[in-house]
Amino acid sequence: MSTQPSAPPRLAAQAHAATGVNTTTGAAETTRPRLARRVLAHVLLPLLLTWLIGTGVTVAVANHYAQQAFDRALLDDAYSVAANVRSQSHGDAVRLELMLTPREVGAVLFDQAESIYFAVLAPDGALIGGHPGLRTPPLATGRVSQFFDVTYQGKELRAVRLASSTPLPFQVVMGQTTRSRQALLQGLLLYTVMPQALLLALLAVWLRRVVARDLAPLAQLQQAVEQRDANDLAPLLPGASTREIERLTLAINALLARIDVSVQAQREFSGNIAHELRTPLAGIRAQAGYALAHDDPAVWREQLQGIAKSEERASHQISQLLLLSIGEEARAQLELTELALDELVRDTVLHFMPRAQALGVDLGAEGLDRPVRVLGNAGLLEGLLSNLIDNALRYGVGTTEPVVTVALAMAADGAIRMSVIDNGSGLAAGDAARLMRRGVQGEAGVRLAFGAGLGLAIVARYAELLKARFVIEPGEGGTGLCARVDFASDCVLNPPVDHKPDPSDPASRASP
């Protein structure tokens, strides 16, 4: 038996998209960073930045509190000097004098590591005692003491200015070098930063080894893929150490499986083309040779008509083989979606209506008065129904009043039944299963001029992909042929009717 030669547009587009390969040239390998390096950078750079910020905060806090400790000691020294300032009468004048002997001054200003300087100043800035030239900016308004960083005799000093009003107003300036506090901060920085830097370096070495070890299966996977022969589509052996690499291996294996199905379908398609076209091409060659051997135009015309029929048969065979190949490829990644089966049946029947009228066949439909929604694939359903209607128009037109009916009904088990029924010569016993095998046609007495015997094989394959059941059986009363597709109840979203229509009842048929 044979089918409509044209492939459903939607199904052909889906198969083309499924088999299309995007071959783009990638950039040079040297322009892309290594994954291990990127992982290390993403881990170590934030750690390094965090460590630097933390170290800076630690040093700043340590410097602040160390400064406070040294400043407090410096202020205590200033109070000690201020406590030894007394007022002395010189005639009618009262003057301030520093009541410290050189030994006492040495004791007050003693520091084993630092040099200490002081100056006692009168309100007008005159030196009462101490080191001349030691000055600081004046105190801010309302302040009793204030710290400054000054330079004295070429040395950087930390100085404090203290104001006192007893017995008379005066101010004390006390300055100290900062070598010890700088050494303290440097030691704190050294013994805080260096161990952390060492730990960070050890962490970087450890992370590098761990990342390299964890990415080794990825390199092995790459090597396994690169060493594969183009014809070797067997699954890759599992050897992943992480879930992500395991998923990548499974994804590659799934891709190889889909490619294998596609390659097998293409190989089968090529083999079938070579096998099926051998006979019509040989016939075309023989008819052309016969025509060239004669001078009679009538012979030319007869042979050209035969060549045209042979070409039509070859084109029909190619279309059928293409449909079968598309069905094989669709098996790998077919998605069933919700669609209106009644609308699809109506459109397909209307497409065949001109051909049926030209053949004098009464083509009608039943069960389209209510919506029927199923889970399926529009391209496969169009191809399936087109093949069944084409088969009925080719082989079910042997009576004087040929009738072909496309019916939708609900079976007793809740399945949706789509049937194509004709009143032709019907089937001989045992022919139903045989006709669904590839390359088998009907009896010679009912076979048309061409047909590759692929039509019902295509329908059977498409029905399998749609999770439906394809059945061929005699028509009502043993007359004609009934080819039906039963959609399982779990693929039916809403049934059309609650009873099976009687195709013999003329009132039950309607024009689409």
Side-chain angles (χ1 to χ4, degrees):
M1 292 187 178
S2 55
T3 60
Q4 188 74 6
S6 60
R10 277 177 283 186
L11 180 57
Q14 292 167 359
H16 177 74
T19 57
V21 179
N22 181 19
T23 56
T24 58
T25 303
E29 184 179 357
T30 55
T31 63
R32 294 188 174 91
R34 295 180 58 188
L35 179 58
R37 181 174 299 176
R38 292 189 64 177
V39 172
L40 288 175
H42 290 164
V43 174
L44 292 179
L45 286 181
L47 283 177
L48 179 60
L49 182 60
T50 304
W51 171 70
L52 289 176
I53 295 175
T55 301
V57 171
T58 301
V59 171
V61 171
N63 181 63
H64 173 73
Y65 285 103
Q67 188 87 331
Q68 281 190 339
F70 280 100
D71 288 350
R72 183 64 183 174
L74 189 62
L75 182 60
D76 289 342
D77 289 342
Y79 274 113
S80 297
V81 172
N84 289 279
V85 176
R86 299 286 187 271
S87 61
Q88 297 291 334
S89 298
H90 296 275
D92 295 334
V94 179
R95 296 179 182 179
L96 294 173
E97 293 182 2
L98 179 62
M99 307 302 294
L100 288 175
T101 65
R103 176 178 290 183
E104 291 172 341
V105 170
V108 171
L109 303 181
F110 176 77
D111 192 298
Q112 187 176 1
E114 301 289 356
S115 298
I116 302 177
Y117 306 90
F118 77 97
V120 180
L121 304 176
D124 58 356
L127 180 65
I128 299 174
H131 297 84
L134 180 61
R135 297 290 185 271
T136 64
L139 292 172
T141 304
R143 296 289 298 272
V144 175
S145 62
Q146 190 172 355
F147 292 91
F148 303 94
D149 293 318
V150 298
T151 302
Y152 178 67
Q153 297 180 354
K155 300 177 182 179
E156 299 293 331
L157 302 182
R158 180 66 173 174
V160 61
R161 192 179 187 105
L162 173 66
S164 178
S165 59
T166 303
L168 294 175
F170 69 95
Q171 293 184 358
V172 177
V173 177
M174 183 71 64
Q176 184 182 29
T177 56
T178 58
R179 291 188 300 271
S180 60
R181 71 181 66 187
Q182 294 296 333
L184 177 62
L185 289 175
Q186 290 175 1
L188 177 64
L189 184 64
L190 177 65
Y191 290 108
T192 301
V193 173
M194 292 304 295
Q196 293 180 1
L198 179 61
L199 289 176
L200 188 62
L202 293 176
L203 177 62
V205 174
W206 179 77
L207 282 176
R208 183 176 181 179
R209 296 187 61 180
V210 169
V211 170
R213 183 186 62 192
D214 288 342
L215 292 181
L218 186 61
Q220 296 172 1
L221 179 62
Q222 175 189 353
Q223 184 178 7
V225 173
E226 290 176 345
Q227 294 178 350
R228 275 295 182 96
D229 184 79
N231 297 321
D232 186 4
L233 298 176
L236 297 171
L237 296 178
S241 60
T242 62
R243 183 178 302 176
E244 289 74 16
I245 298 179
E246 180 183 11
R247 290 177 178 175
L248 177 59
T249 304
L250 295 176
I252 293 177
N253 288 339
L255 175 62
L256 292 175
R258 294 194 298 270
I259 294 176
D260 186 48
V261 172
S262 178
V263 169
Q264 292 297 335
Q266 293 174 8
R267 288 176 179 173
E268 184 175 357
F269 175 71
S270 301
N272 288 335
I273 286 290
H275 179 269
E276 297 293 342
L277 292 186
R278 186 179 296 111
T279 300
L281 289 177
I284 290 174
R285 186 183 303 110
Q287 289 172 324
Y290 183 80
L292 291 174
H294 292 78
D295 297 329
D296 186 357
V299 175
W300 296 348
R301 181 178 182 83
E302 179 183 0
Q303 297 305 313
L304 286 175
Q305 290 176 345
I307 290 174
K309 291 182 179 179
S310 296
E311 186 278 332
E312 184 180 0
R313 178 174 180 239
S315 298
H316 184 72
Q317 289 174 337
I318 292 174
S319 298
Q320 287 188 313
L321 291 172
L322 179 60
L323 286 173
L324 201 57
S325 175
I326 290 173
E328 293 289 351
E329 294 184 17
R331 177 191 300 273
Q333 48 186 358
L334 178 66
E335 293 185 2
L336 301 182
T337 58
E338 179 180 350
L339 54 87
L341 182 60
D342 58 307
E343 295 179 2
L344 187 143
V345 171
R346 181 181 292 106
D347 294 342
T348 306
V349 172
L350 289 174
H351 173 75
F352 280 91
M353 194 65 71
R355 178 180 168 190
Q357 292 175 353
L359 295 174
V361 177
D362 180 10
L363 177 61
E366 299 172 347
L368 305 185
D369 53 334
R370 292 180 59 184
V372 183
R373 306 195 69 81
V374 298
L375 291 177
N377 180 277
L380 291 180
L381 281 172
E382 288 176 5
L384 182 151
L385 185 58
S386 296
N387 274 277
L388 290 180
I389 297 177
D390 177 79
N391 185 78
L393 293 178
R394 290 180 184 277
Y395 299 102
V397 295
T399 61
T400 55
E401 295 182 357
V403 177
V404 175
T405 302
V406 181
L408 284 181
M410 184 177 69
D413 57 357
I416 292 296
R417 177 167 297 175
M418 181 177 69
S419 306
V420 178
I421 308 167
D422 63 63
N423 61 347
S425 57
L427 285 175
D431 276 352
R434 187 172 64 89
L435 287 177
M436 285 190 287
R437 295 198 301 268
R438 190 177 304 182
V440 178
Q441 298 170 292
E443 297 297 331
V446 298
R447 185 169 53 195
L448 295 184
F450 58 86
L454 294 172
L456 296 183
I458 293 172
V459 173
R461 177 57 52 83
Y462 283 12
E464 178 185 355
L465 294 173
L466 292 169
K467 301 180 181 180
R469 187 167 63 98
F470 177 49
V471 178
I472 302 176
E473 59 187 5
E476 295 289 339
T479 302
L481 178 69
C482 175
R484 76 171 194 265
V485 178
D486 294 339
F487 297 91
S489 57
D490 56 352
C491 292
V492 179
L493 303 181
N494 66 314
V497 291
D498 55 0
H499 66 280
K500 179 179 178 181
D502 184 5
S504 63
D505 183 6
S508 65
R509 298 181 78 251
S511 174

